[in-house]
Amino acid sequence: MDTDTMTTAKASAPSPVLILLGPPGAGKGTQARMLEEKLGLVQLSTGDLLREAVAAGTDAGKAAKAVMEAGGLVSDEIVINILRDRLAQPDTAKGVILDGFPRTTVQAEALDRLLEEQGQKINAAISLEVDDTEMVTRIAGRYTCAACGEGYHDLYKQPVTDGTCDKCGGTEMKRRADDNAETVGSRLKAYHAQTAPLIAYYGGKGALQKIDAMGDIDQIAAGMHAMVARAIA
Ligand code: ADP
Ligand code: ZN
């Protein structure tokens, strides 16, 4: 192979694209962060991007705020634009784990087109399989350290000293505005009506993989790691 061919081959080599599917509270964010650390892929959460837009008070953020607090889905147009901009950042060349996108068929089709334009494809869409009933308890009890982002839970994982982060010693804890029992119901409804059909969508493309996500976090992470390693090999 001469140098020219090598350069071309490298520049056009597709980087991995993974999608995490599953209801709110399934652990997509937790697992995506663990995969990011282990495999050097970039976690891309439209929920995080939208919360940043809300905090920054951009037009998209202003339009999204009330919908998010009510547990509905933000418009496809806004979310697709935010995701397209984020995918244009150079760090995504390492490969991406999409966490919380796509959430509708329109978004899935937009993603297909976007990837096709860039000569990329989806390596796997991984569905985190969980019981809905447990999701309400999981979400309504969760909170994070404002300083370092470490996650805690009222029932499952309290810091050793009440109100103080085990990891960084921070004493300010925060809860997401939409992590309350009332809003969780709407979020689960939106998931079943608009996002669950994507399981069949990716099944039809031969990209779907399922994992039992009800057990221990580290055990699920080990299963995910093996699954992803095969998918991007
Ligand atoms: P969770 O998966 O726990 O519901 P996220 O952080 O992924 O949390 O999303 C929080 C909220 O942000 C959603 O309830 C929704 O209002 C909005 N959102 C995030 N991603 C999308 C998306 N792809 N399409 C539409 N709305 C979205
Ligand atoms: Zn902390």
Side-chain angles (χ1 to χ4, degrees), residues 22-178:
K28 300 184 296 290
T30 305
Q31 294 298 333
R33 274 191 295 277
M34 292 170 94
L35 287 170
E36 179 176 62
E37 240 171 62
K38 279 193 203 142
L39 296 168
L41 303 168
V42 175
Q43 176 202 11
L44 229 155
S45 152
T46 41
D48 287 346
L49 294 170
L50 287 166
R51 279 185 288 278
E52 280 166 25
V54 170
T58 64
D59 287 345
K62 282 180 197 148
K65 188 171 189 279
V67 182
M68 291 175 76
E69 279 171 8
L73 292 188
V74 175
S75 79
D76 289 328
E77 195 194 345
I78 289 181
V79 178
I80 291 166
N81 281 333
I82 282 189
L83 185 91
R84 186 187 295 115
D85 288 351
R86 183 62 187 88
L87 279 178
Q89 305 284 314
D91 64 326
T92 60
K94 290 186 261 182
V96 294
I97 310 163
L98 300 178
D99 157 16
F101 184 95
R103 251 177 163 94
T104 64
T105 308
V106 171
Q107 292 178 18
E109 288 166 355
L111 177 65
D112 285 345
R113 280 194 298 275
L114 214 74
L115 293 176
E116 203 184 319
E117 280 165 22
Q118 302 178 349
Q120 282 174 278
K121 64 169 182 56
I122 292 157
N123 294 70
I126 302 176
S127 167
L128 282 74
E129 307 273 308
V130 292
D131 294 340
D132 262 25
T133 45
E134 167 73 10
M135 295 308 107
V136 180
T137 319
R138 274 200 201 176
I139 293 177
R142 72 184 179 186
Y143 59 97
T144 53
C145 167
C148 77
E150 181 71 359
Y152 295 99
H153 195 282
D154 294 327
L155 301 176
Y156 308 133
K157 191 192 162 197
Q158 285 175 305
V160 177
T161 311
D162 199 30
T164 304
C165 177
D166 294 344
K167 240 191 177 167
C168 77
T171 52
E172 196 195 329
M173 299 289 177
K174 60 175 188 186
R175 283 176 203 263
R176 270 169 49 179
D178 60 345

